[in-house]
Amino acid sequence: MAFTTQTPQRPLPGAYFMTPALSRPQAGPAIQPPLFRSGSGSSLHGSADIGKTASTAPVAPTEVLQPIERAARTINETLAQEERYPELDNYIGQGISSDYDIPLTPAWAPFQKIKIYDIPDKIFEQYNQAQVSTMMGLFAELGHAWTSIDNALYLWDYSHPNPELIGFEEQPNSITAVKLVAPRPGVFVPSINYILVVATTTDIFLIGLSCQPNPAGDKVVTLYQTRMTLSIKGMDVNVIEGSMASGRIFFSGRHDHDVYEITYQQEEKWFQSRCGKINHTSKGFSALTPSLGLLSRQNSQEFVVQMAIDDTRNLLYTLSSKSTIRTFHLKPNNGLDLAITQSLPYTFSNVRHMVSRTDLIDISTPIVSISPIPANEASKLHLMAITSTGCRLFLSATSSFGWTASESGAPTSMQVQHVKFPPPDSSKQPNQKSPSQSVLYQASDAIDTSSKSLIPSRMAVRYSPGYCLCFTNKESGGAIDTLFISSPDSGRIARPQDQSQITRYREHGTWMSLESRAEDIGLITPRFATPAGGNELAIQFDKPATEIAILTNTGVHIIRRKRLVDVFAATIRYGRGDDGLEGEVKKFVRLYGRGETTATALAVACGQGLDIMSDSRVAKVTDPEILEISRKVFIEFGGKPILNENSVLDQSIPAIDNVRPSPRHEGTALYMSRLVRSIWKAPVIREGKTPMGGLTVSPTVPLEKLRNIQRDLIKLQEFLDTNRSFIEGLAGPESLMRITTKQEEVSLQAEHRALNSLVCLIDGIIEGISFVLVLFDYRVDEIILSLQDTFRQQARELTYERLFATKNGKELAKELVKAIVNRSIANGSNVDTIAEALRRRCGSFCSADDAIIFKAQELLKKASEAGGTSDLGRNLLRESLRLFEQVASSLKMEALKSAIEQFINMQFYAGAIQLALSVARESDRGNQALAYIAAGMPEQDDRRRLLETRTNCYKMIFGTLTAVDQATSQSPEKIDGHYTRSARLRSEAYGVVHTSEDEVFQNSLYDWYIDKGWNDRLLEVESPYIIGYLKRKFTESPAFADLLWNYYAQREQYHEAAKVQLELAKIGIHNDKFRIPLEKRIEYLSRAKANASTFTPGIGRQSRQTLLHEISELLEVANIQDDLLQRLKCDPRLTPEKKREVLTELDGPIIGLTELFNEYADKASYFDICLLIYQAADHRNPSHIKASWQNLILEVHKETVEKGEPQPYEAVAEMVRSMGNRLGLSESTFPIDTLVRMLKTYSFEHQRDVGPQTWVMDTFLDLHVPYETILPVLDGMLYHDEAPFTGNNRKFIANDIVYLIRRWYEHGVRSGVGRLFGGESNATSITQLLRVLIQTQYLDHADKEEARILMQRIDMVLR
């Protein structure tokens, strides 16, 4: 969760990376020793540190990506990086070069010879019968070779040990040229894939050719007669060429350099036969007189020796016998315009300014071959010409407005841009013996312009993306050719070591001895074409390696291009030179970088490496040693993530986003992207139309290709899972034990994030492919038609990338699953079977939960048909509920609402409630909503969404309960002593509600009860969550607090009820929600005191006494505050404003005694309340207490006098009795000796002769003050002559003493106490006191008589 920081935060410990982190114990599993001495040696300064893919760029700090989204972005960046492979123009610029890397070991050779197929004996038998002419050639794309013997043409499958000859012998003339071309669209039936153009001395025949695979995988060739023949008498046709794009066919003869085109059509038309020819170079009369070839030959010896068509630019090139290159522009409607004629002298004149002098290029050096360069390889370079000395001339064509990169523009001039000279003479030939070395021959900066290694070059050809095959014959007899074959080093071109310099044209080259004479060359595999330009590395796992067939006079040699993975596997197996295997790996790192090295090692470890077996088969490398070494290279040479510490200073970007993942991550991303590159951006489906106008849906990618990609990804998945503990970033928490700095920790976290994202994407792609395979197992057209228009359009636009890596793609997949299930149900299929099949094949990606939902809805429908009250219907409803609960985590609100409505309609209330509870629980399996509630439900919190989702489910439950109440409110509970059906339904529904363990639901239920005003129902709830709910709600409103203590009290938990009531009474003034008046607080305290005094099981005596003491003290203070409040209400001294203010302050929270005294009681001269405060505060200052009593007595006297009634003494006596009761006769605040003297003085001074003389004694006796406490006070006053009781005034004291003794005597007699006056000692003292009083003059006659009688009675008792 992210909160907006309003103030700058202090840096946390460890945020500064120069601060050393705590040392961690080096624990964990033992680390496997490295295979190599310096698996991550910093001395290897290769392109790994320079040519990083875009996936290593730091992440924008604002982006929050899911793992699959992060990995998908990495794949996109990697694919984009590989598509930025430089064009030929970028590294074949103006100038010359002679850079070749000639490996001295077979392991590093760029090509390898797979097999040699001998020419069948049947061909030699026919060959021996030749009389006029023979020719040989290849149809490599068909896997066939051909030979013409006089007038017969034979084709055979050169890979078959005993092939069947396919012959064309239906004409009598000698064959002069044979060419296989593509047919013009719409002319022939679709089964005819090619046209076999056969030129003889008199005619050209167009023969239909069908090539179809048989069940064994072999290609079966069938020839068809087309009845298309063209007369060419006297032309001596030797060159035929066809456009693979348009089907146009061109030819030329040996008598001139004219270019003809064969026109052919399906049916004859007016003035136009089915087959004709057009001369595009000579016009008028010469075009109509081909028979004058002899005259033409006398005037000119120049003729065409080669034609080549560039369909990407609509250009036709011809090479004449005088090495003149002519360029024609192919125009629509059979148009062909000559654009450029470039003679050999002019061509070589372009070279002179590049190289001053060389014997390899002069006016006598012919050009032996030309090869177009497609526009997808280069925008400027158009053509490559090869001289007889082995020099390659790269030519560019320009028009008046610039380079001719488009198809519509015709060039106007052509220049030589670059010359590539042959390899040095020092390069080893295959027949030379050399020691086993693992180093490459590295070209020096000096350009060798005099190498004669390719002299004489007899034949040459270039294939995309730059394979150049040059045949040289150095023997005098010319019977044996040596092949030099070179290819661009894509890895080094794509990631140059020094990006500040212009990329060099780096090539690998190798020599091969054919031991025979080459006759023809052909590509077996399709031509190289990819959006990544000439980047072979990008397609090495997507397309088969290029294979080239070379026909010689002894057989067909098959040459295979070795991919980088094959080279790597071969170096492990064969290429251990002087530096050993470690040296080979380091060489890979230097040449291609760590990223490419780890990608290659990973591919080999996952079984992508191929090699030639002993039986000449190309098979996967399965040698355990090679796989193990590749695994170790991937792990140990994978490098480490790098933290850009300069970017860390920008604290707006998290440190983890400033980490560049390791080359191991780069290599994994490279390997993954190369596996999926062909499908990543491809649509999943392709719509078409049937002949009747119906919809057809087919996969854009063949299903077998999808299976192969999935198989490779599963191997990658298994590899990463098996080696997880050895790979940094996947090893888990134990890898954190090995880090020592904060930088390493952050780097490791970033590495884990990056690698884990790729692992998640691998899982998603595997399951995504499974989903597509499942989809095409059904009638996809019907499924697409059943979708809504919106989803149908999305299905048309759905790409594999969206399917694998986006939420929308997965949502669409779920819609397709629904459509599959609907169609299956409509066809009577079992939904369970379909669901199980989906779960087994593409589990989490295209969840089978939707299918289970359909099954549950199907059961609902059946229950509705059977009746919800029937036994069958109830069983179906219960089964439907079970299925719904099974997929509760993926049940959407719409489906939940629909299901609950149907349950309610069929009176399955308990099921509706249970389903809603299950969905709510599954929507928040971590129960974060409860934590959110406990945290006070902050506004900016992601958990709020979870609570809202659950609340929506609970609202459906409340709606169900409302429906239950409405349906059962009018029905009796029992009939004849048995519960009615309505009562049972209600009991079932509320049983599910009250037994639910979902605390969030219980809280929502209680809120609903409160909103409805059903407090009584809430108090009846027996749930472990109700108390927690009421405690949380305690602070919101007094009503919830009252519910809480009532809930406790009803369950006889009096101690807890008292605690709640005490808390209510103590709530302060700052709580705006609680405006509790003082009277209510006193009531709470009174109830709390009663509850605390009541025995509660499980509560100890000490706890009870502690609580009771706290309540009592607070209640005492509250009563004092209430006295103040009531007194101030009637105090006339206060102004109305001041009174309102004071009353507001006092009629609320209970205030402390100090404030009550200082701010209210003392200021208002409420002396009685001051005394109460002294008592409550245990204040024992005698002077303060005495002064308060004196002031209080005088104030009561004064008020009584002012009122006129009652008698002042009566008011004072009543006040003393009241205060004595409230103060509990406290020794400190109700001092008897002080009060007796004070009241006697008051009586003498203010109430003499008013009222009974004994009212003071009666007052104390009414308070049950002990006689033995009062009598000593009077005795002291009598004998100490205290003012005002001096002299004759002592009689007032004497009379009180006699009165007190009499009352004491009567009390003792009346109560039957065995010991009068508390004992003989007291009785003797009292007798003596009476005797003394009788002897004094303080008593009158009557009092003396009373004293004598008392004395006598006492004496009698004592006897």
Side-chain angles (χ1 to χ4, degrees):
M1 294 175 293
F3 298 93
T4 302
T5 304
Q6 300 297 332
T7 57
Q9 296 182 352
R10 296 179 60 187
L12 297 177
Y16 293 98
F17 294 106
M18 296 307 294
T19 304
L22 291 175
S23 299
R24 301 178 183 265
Q26 300 299 317
I31 305 303
Q32 185 175 357
L35 174 66
F36 308 108
R37 292 190 300 273
S38 57
S40 58
S42 59
S43 62
L44 300 179
H45 299 291
S47 59
D49 300 325
I50 302 173
K52 294 294 180 183
T53 62
S55 63
T56 61
V59 181
T62 57
E63 291 183 283
V64 179
L65 299 178
Q66 297 299 319
I68 288 184
E69 295 173 339
R70 186 179 302 279
R73 187 183 64 179
T74 300
I75 296 299
N76 281 321
E77 292 171 348
T78 305
L79 290 173
Q81 171 70 20
E82 298 219 295
E83 288 184 4
R84 288 194 289 270
Y85 185 84
E87 292 184 341
L88 285 177
D89 310 321
N90 293 346
Y91 55 87
I92 303 180
Q94 186 83 21
I96 61 176
S97 65
S98 61
D99 294 336
Y100 293 92
D101 292 338
I102 310 296
L104 300 183
T105 61
W108 285 88
F111 291 86
Q112 59 187 158
K113 187 182 296 185
I114 299 177
K115 194 172 184 179
I116 301 176
Y117 296 102
D118 295 333
I119 297 176
D121 294 337
K122 297 178 183 179
I123 298 299
F124 286 114
E125 292 173 2
Q126 296 291 334
Y127 193 83
N128 293 331
Q129 300 176 12
Q131 297 179 359
V132 179
S133 65
T134 60
M135 289 189 301
M136 298 179 68
L138 277 174
F139 301 146
E141 59 268 49
L142 306 183
H144 282 62
W146 61 270
T147 183
S148 65
I149 302 172
D150 296 334
N151 67 323
L153 176 67
Y154 299 103
L155 283 70
W156 76 93
D157 183 350
Y158 56 75
S159 63
H160 199 282
N162 187 22
E164 177 184 356
L165 296 183
I166 305 169
F168 174 68
E169 306 171 326
E170 300 176 3
Q171 57 86 31
N173 301 305
S174 296
I175 297 175
T176 60
V178 177
K179 187 66 177 180
L180 188 70
V181 300
R184 190 190 298 272
V187 176
F188 302 102
V189 295
S191 60
I192 295 181
N193 313 96
Y194 299 92
I195 297 177
L196 186 59
V197 183
V198 180
T200 69
T201 55
T202 60
D203 301 285
I204 290 180
F205 297 89
L206 302 185
I207 304 168
L209 187 148
S210 173
C211 180
Q212 303 295 334
N214 62 11
D218 298 327
K219 295 179 179 179
V220 179
V221 171
T222 307
L223 302 181
Y224 293 93
Q225 180 61 257
T226 64
R227 296 180 297 162
M228 291 184 180
T229 305
L230 178 66
S231 175
I232 54 169
K233 290 182 181 180
M235 297 185 66
D236 195 9
V237 173
N238 67 321
V239 179
I240 304 173
E241 188 60 59
S243 169
M244 299 300 293
S246 63
R248 297 176 68 176
I249 304 172
F250 303 92
F251 67 92
S252 185
R254 293 183 182 273
H255 297 162
D256 52 40
H257 56 80
D258 289 345
V259 176
Y260 296 85
E261 180 177 358
I262 301 174
T263 60
Y264 57 99
Q265 57 191 14
Q266 193 172 22
E267 300 293 340
E268 293 185 359
K269 299 180 180 179
W270 287 100
F271 307 107
Q272 189 174 5
S273 62
R274 296 183 63 201
C275 190
K277 68 176 183 294
I278 301 174
N279 187 337
H280 286 291
T281 51
S282 297
K283 309 297 181 182
F285 178 76
S286 62
L288 301 175
T289 58
S291 58
L292 301 179
L294 180 60
L295 180 61
S296 176
R297 187 163 54 247
Q298 292 174 351
N299 295 331
S300 175
Q301 297 296 321
E302 186 179 18
F303 59 91
V304 175
V305 296
Q306 184 186 354
M307 286 185 180
I309 293 179
D310 182 359
D311 282 320
T312 63
R313 293 186 173 93
N314 286 336
L315 297 177
L316 167 66
Y317 303 99
T318 65
L319 176 65
S320 74
S321 56
K322 293 185 177 181
S323 296
T324 298
I325 300 173
R326 292 178 174 84
T327 304
F328 297 85
H329 182 224
L330 297 169
K331 300 175 65 177
N333 301 321
N334 296 331
L336 185 71
D337 292 341
L338 176 61
I340 303 171
T341 299
Q342 181 149 319
S343 64
L344 182 63
Y346 179 79
T347 301
F348 285 169
S349 68
N350 295 158
V351 179
R352 292 192 186 101
H353 72 279
M354 301 181 192
V355 54
S356 60
R357 177 176 176 80
T358 174
D359 295 335
L360 301 183
I361 299 177
D362 57 31
I363 197 64
S364 62
T365 304
I367 295 175
V368 298
S369 174
I370 58 173
S371 296
I373 299 175
N376 62 337
E377 287 189 57
S379 57
K380 299 179 181 179
L381 299 178
H382 288 59
L383 188 69
M384 186 190 80
I386 303 178
T387 68
S388 61
T389 57
C391 296
R392 283 179 279 166
L393 311 180
F394 292 89
L395 297 95
S396 62
T398 58
S399 63
S400 57
F401 52 84
W403 305 103
T404 58
S406 64
E407 298 180 0
S408 58
T412 57
S413 64
M414 182 175 286
Q415 298 85 28
V416 176
Q417 292 289 324
H418 190 88
V419 179
K420 186 70 180 265
F421 286 93
D425 293 323
S426 59
S427 59
K428 301 293 183 180
Q429 302 273 330
N431 56 353
Q432 293 178 280
K433 303 296 182 181
S434 62
S436 175
Q437 300 180 23
S438 60
V439 297
L440 301 181
Y441 172 84
Q442 297 291 346
S444 63
D445 293 336
I447 300 176
D448 186 356
T449 61
S450 60
S451 172
K452 299 181 180 180
S453 59
L454 293 181
I455 296 178
S457 293
R458 187 178 62 83
M459 182 170 59
V461 67
R462 179 190 185 274
Y463 295 121
S464 296
Y467 309 143
C468 184
L469 292 83
C470 188
F471 297 88
T472 180
N473 194 315
K474 294 182 177 295
E475 297 186 4
S476 58
I480 297 178
D481 282 338
T482 299
L483 170 64
F484 178 75
I485 181 169
S486 62
S487 64
D489 192 348
S490 299
R492 299 171 70 186
I493 293 174
R495 293 176 174 82
Q497 294 184 7
D498 188 354
Q499 293 185 337
S500 62
Q501 297 182 1
I502 298 176
T503 304
R504 300 175 65 177
Y505 184 17
R506 298 189 176 277
E507 287 187 295
H508 283 309
T510 186
W511 295 90
M512 291 185 184
S513 178
L514 300 178
E515 302 296 334
S516 53
R517 181 181 175 83
E519 300 291 340
D520 199 3
I521 315 167
L523 272 177
I524 299 174
T525 52
R527 293 181 179 273
F528 187 96
T530 171
N535 192 351
E536 294 180 85
L537 302 183
I539 64 165
Q540 58 182 324
F541 311 122
D542 179 45
K543 297 183 181 296
T546 301
E547 291 186 0
I548 302 171
I550 302 174
L551 176 65
T552 69
N553 54 6
T554 59
V556 178
H557 300 248
I558 307 300
I559 307 298
R560 178 179 175 273
R561 167 65 162 153
K562 286 172 66 177
R563 305 171 302 166
L564 192 60
V565 287
D566 305 332
V567 173
F568 186 83
T571 57
I572 296 176
R573 173 175 288 180
Y574 310 111
R576 306 187 185 185
D578 296 338
D579 295 333
L581 185 57
E582 183 179 3
E584 299 294 330
V585 177
K586 287 184 176 181
K587 187 185 306 178
F588 253 92
V589 174
R590 280 197 303 272
L591 295 178
Y592 304 112
R594 289 188 183 277
E596 192 63 58
T597 301
T598 53
T600 305
L602 178 61
V604 175
C606 292
Q608 290 286 358
L610 298 177
D611 201 356
I612 308 300
M613 300 296 105
S614 57
D615 57 355
S616 299
R617 290 183 303 105
V618 178
K620 289 185 178 293
V621 175
T622 58
D623 186 341
E625 181 183 2
I626 296 177
L627 300 183
E628 175 62 16
I629 292 175
S630 300
R631 182 189 74 85
K632 291 184 177 180
V633 171
F634 173 75
I635 293 172
E636 297 176 12
F637 278 79
K640 294 181 178 296
I642 299 175
L643 173 65
N644 186 348
E645 297 189 21
N646 293 328
S647 299
V648 172
L649 299 177
D650 182 7
Q651 296 188 2
S652 64
I653 302 176
I656 194 173
D657 291 335
N658 290 312
V659 176
R660 185 176 66 191
S662 67
R664 185 184 299 105
H665 168 266
E666 178 190 355
T668 307
L670 274 172
Y671 181 52
M672 281 183 60
S673 65
R674 290 166 181 175
L675 289 179
V676 302
R677 64 167 300 278
S678 61
I679 67 172
W680 188 250
K681 296 294 184 181
V684 175
I685 65 171
R686 179 193 298 114
E687 290 188 358
K689 296 292 184 181
T690 64
M692 301 300 294
L695 176 68
T696 62
V697 178
S698 59
T700 56
V701 179
L703 299 183
E704 186 57 34
K705 185 175 183 64
L706 289 177
R707 293 187 184 96
N708 292 335
I709 294 173
Q710 185 184 49
R711 191 178 304 114
D712 292 336
L713 286 170
I714 290 174
K715 290 181 180 178
L716 174 60
Q717 182 187 51
E718 293 172 349
F719 175 86
L720 294 176
D721 187 61
T722 302
N723 297 280
R724 179 180 295 270
S725 59
F726 304 105
I727 300 174
E728 277 196 14
L730 294 179
E734 60 270 14
S735 60
L736 291 173
M737 306 299 293
R738 298 190 292 271
I739 65 176
T740 58
T741 65
K742 184 66 177 179
Q743 296 97 313
E744 291 181 4
E745 182 179 355
V746 173
S747 299
L748 186 60
Q749 290 173 352
E751 180 79 355
H752 170 75
R753 183 178 69 172
L755 284 176
N756 183 65
S757 298
L758 293 179
V759 171
C760 293
L761 182 60
I762 291 172
D763 297 339
I765 295 175
I766 291 173
E767 291 199 346
I769 292 176
S770 294
F771 167 72
V772 176
L773 297 176
V774 169
L775 182 65
F776 283 99
D777 284 345
Y778 297 90
R779 293 290 303 274
V780 186
D781 50 352
E782 295 180 358
I783 294 171
I784 297 298
L785 286 173
S786 67
L787 295 175
Q788 298 178 7
D789 291 342
T790 303
F791 291 122
R792 183 176 174 183
Q793 182 61 31
Q794 291 178 6
R796 293 192 191 102
E797 300 171 354
L798 179 66
T799 63
Y800 283 94
E801 178 192 3
R802 289 183 57 201
L803 180 65
F804 297 152
T806 66
K807 182 179 180 180
N808 291 337
K810 294 184 179 181
E811 291 297 326
L812 181 58
K814 291 182 179 181
E815 293 298 326
L816 291 169
V817 169
K818 293 179 183 179
I820 291 173
V821 175
N822 283 333
R823 293 297 305 169
S824 301
I825 293 176
N827 294 333
S829 301
N830 186 285
V831 176
D832 291 333
T833 303
I834 299 170
E836 181 59 29
L838 289 170
R839 184 177 290 109
R840 184 178 64 254
R841 297 182 64 179
C842 49
S844 62
F845 189 88
C846 51
S847 172
D849 290 352
D850 290 329
I852 297 177
I853 293 172
F854 280 114
K855 178 67 175 178
Q857 292 174 339
E858 180 187 24
L859 293 178
L860 274 180
K861 183 179 180 182
K862 291 181 179 179
S864 177
E865 294 171 353
T869 58
S870 65
D871 291 340
L872 175 60
R874 300 300 284 187
N875 289 334
L876 290 172
L877 287 172
R878 282 190 285 271
E879 179 63 16
S880 174
L881 172 62
R882 184 187 69 81
L883 292 177
F884 275 129
E885 286 190 292
Q886 184 178 340
V887 294
S889 60
S890 58
L891 195 63
K892 294 184 178 180
M893 282 297 166
E894 296 79 5
L896 174 63
K897 183 177 180 181
S898 175
I900 288 179
E901 288 176 352
Q902 295 181 68
F903 279 150
I904 293 175
N905 292 336
M906 288 180 276
Q907 296 187 335
F908 190 37
Y909 305 116
I913 295 170
Q914 184 61 49
L915 177 58
L917 286 172
S918 298
V919 173
R921 180 181 64 251
E922 292 299 322
S923 68
D924 181 20
R925 303 192 67 175
N927 210 13
Q928 296 184 46
L930 182 60
Y932 174 63
I933 294 174
M937 297 192 294
E939 289 294 330
Q940 301 298 327
D941 198 311
D942 293 339
R943 296 173 295 182
R944 182 185 183 90
R945 178 181 53 82
L946 297 173
L947 179 61
E948 291 174 351
T949 301
R950 296 178 72 166
T951 301
N952 291 333
C953 297
Y954 302 148
K955 288 180 180 178
M956 298 182 192
I957 297 177
F958 303 149
T960 304
L961 292 177
T962 302
V964 171
D965 293 340
Q966 292 175 352
T968 60
S969 60
Q970 302 300 323
S971 301
E973 185 175 0
K974 292 183 179 180
I975 297 178
D976 298 332
H978 299 285
Y979 285 103
T980 62
R981 182 176 181 276
S982 297
R984 288 197 301 273
L985 292 175
R986 179 182 176 86
S987 177
E988 290 175 358
Y990 278 94
V992 174
V993 167
H994 291 146
T995 58
S996 171
E997 297 182 356
D998 185 346
E999 186 172 356
V1000 180
F1001 164 67
Q1002 294 291 347
N1003 290 336
S1004 299
L1005 175 67
Y1006 306 149
D1007 285 338
W1008 186 60
Y1009 282 164
I1010 296 295
D1011 292 340
K1012 292 290 186 180
W1014 296 342
N1015 293 357
D1016 294 340
R1017 182 179 291 189
L1018 186 64
L1019 293 176
E1020 294 172 359
V1021 171
E1022 295 291 344
S1023 169
Y1025 307 115
I1026 180 64
I1027 292 177
Y1029 167 80
L1030 291 175
K1031 284 183 176 179
R1032 280 193 300 273
K1033 294 288 186 178
F1034 182 96
T1035 58
E1036 294 184 8
S1037 169
F1040 290 106
D1042 289 340
L1043 284 172
L1044 179 58
W1045 67 258
N1046 272 297
Y1047 187 87
Y1048 280 131
Q1050 287 188 13
R1051 284 151 185 80
E1052 298 183 353
Q1053 298 181 27
Y1054 301 113
H1055 186 79
E1056 297 298 329
K1059 289 168 65 176
V1060 174
Q1061 292 163 337
L1062 174 62
E1063 187 66 25
L1064 274 172
K1066 291 166 63 176
I1067 289 178
I1069 193 171
H1070 300 294
N1071 193 327
D1072 296 336
K1073 298 179 181 179
F1074 284 79
R1075 291 294 183 182
I1076 303 176
L1078 182 61
E1079 181 181 4
K1080 190 67 175 178
R1081 295 174 188 269
I1082 295 174
E1083 179 185 346
Y1084 285 140
L1085 289 171
S1086 301
R1087 291 179 180 272
K1089 187 173 183 179
N1091 286 325
S1093 302
T1094 306
F1095 174 75
T1096 302
I1099 303 300
R1101 180 178 179 181
Q1102 182 177 358
S1103 299
R1104 187 168 66 253
Q1105 291 298 329
T1106 301
L1107 178 63
L1108 184 60
H1109 177 72
E1110 182 181 0
I1111 294 172
S1112 299
E1113 285 190 341
L1114 190 62
L1115 179 59
E1116 184 178 6
V1117 176
N1119 285 326
I1120 294 173
Q1121 183 173 333
D1122 185 60
D1123 288 343
L1124 276 172
L1125 176 64
Q1126 302 305 322
R1127 188 78 62 85
L1128 289 171
K1129 283 182 180 180
C1130 305
D1131 197 324
R1133 294 174 294 176
L1134 296 176
T1135 64
E1137 294 77 10
K1138 185 63 176 178
K1139 182 177 290 187
R1140 281 194 298 270
E1141 178 186 346
V1142 171
L1143 295 183
T1144 300
E1145 294 173 354
L1146 289 176
D1147 194 14
I1150 298 174
I1151 302 173
L1153 289 172
T1154 301
E1155 185 177 354
L1156 289 176
F1157 180 83
N1158 293 328
E1159 299 297 329
Y1160 301 101
D1162 188 50
K1163 287 183 177 181
S1165 299
Y1166 296 154
F1167 302 111
D1168 54 342
I1169 296 177
C1170 289
L1171 289 170
L1172 294 175
I1173 292 174
Y1174 292 155
Q1175 170 72 15
D1178 196 21
H1179 183 72
R1180 296 176 179 270
N1181 190 313
S1183 60
H1184 293 169
I1185 295 171
K1186 181 177 180 180
S1188 295
W1189 273 109
Q1190 288 175 340
N1191 292 329
L1192 176 61
I1193 292 170
L1194 293 176
E1195 183 181 19
V1196 172
H1197 175 80
K1198 180 180 179 181
E1199 289 178 357
T1200 306
V1201 171
E1202 290 176 356
K1203 291 179 181 179
E1205 58 177 0
Q1207 290 297 332
Y1209 81 90
E1210 294 178 341
V1212 171
E1214 181 60 29
M1215 179 272 295
V1216 172
R1217 281 192 291 270
S1218 174
M1219 291 297 294
N1221 288 324
R1222 295 191 63 178
L1223 296 174
L1225 303 181
S1226 170
E1227 292 182 359
S1228 60
T1229 56
F1230 198 83
I1232 300 300
D1233 56 345
T1234 302
L1235 289 177
V1236 170
R1237 289 180 170 83
M1238 198 176 295
L1239 288 177
K1240 289 300 296 178
T1241 303
Y1242 166 75
S1243 176
F1244 177 80
E1245 294 178 351
H1246 298 284
Q1247 294 292 294
R1248 190 185 311 172
D1249 300 327
V1250 179
Q1253 293 184 0
T1254 61
W1255 69 270
V1256 175
M1257 295 298 107
D1258 290 337
T1259 299
F1260 287 106
L1261 292 177
D1262 289 345
L1263 288 172
H1264 303 290
V1265 177
Y1267 296 96
E1268 57 268 29
T1269 301
I1270 304 174
L1271 186 58
V1273 177
L1274 295 175
D1275 188 33
M1277 293 175 65
L1278 179 67
Y1279 285 99
H1280 288 91
D1281 197 20
E1282 295 181 6
F1285 301 106
T1286 59
N1288 194 42
N1289 291 338
R1290 291 184 178 182
K1291 63 181 178 179
F1292 297 104
I1293 302 300
N1295 290 335
D1296 285 341
I1297 292 174
V1298 174
Y1299 178 74
L1300 185 63
I1301 293 173
R1302 179 174 61 81
R1303 290 285 304 270
W1304 193 357
Y1305 174 80
E1306 292 175 353
H1307 173 73
V1309 174
R1310 187 169 54 251
S1311 61
V1313 178
R1315 301 176 67 183
L1316 191 64
F1317 300 115
E1320 292 184 3
S1321 176
N1322 287 344
T1324 302
S1325 298
I1326 291 173
T1327 302
Q1328 293 177 357
L1329 177 61
L1330 288 173
R1331 184 176 292 113
V1332 172
L1333 290 175
I1334 292 173
Q1335 295 175 358
T1336 63
Q1337 71 277 15
Y1338 303 139
L1339 295 177
D1340 57 15
H1341 178 75
D1343 291 333
K1344 288 183 179 181
E1345 186 62 30
E1346 184 179 358
R1348 289 191 187 95
I1349 296 172
L1350 280 173
M1351 189 173 57
Q1352 293 173 359
R1353 291 178 181 176
I1354 294 171
D1355 290 339
M1356 290 178 62
V1357 173
L1358 292 177
R1359 295 193 186 103

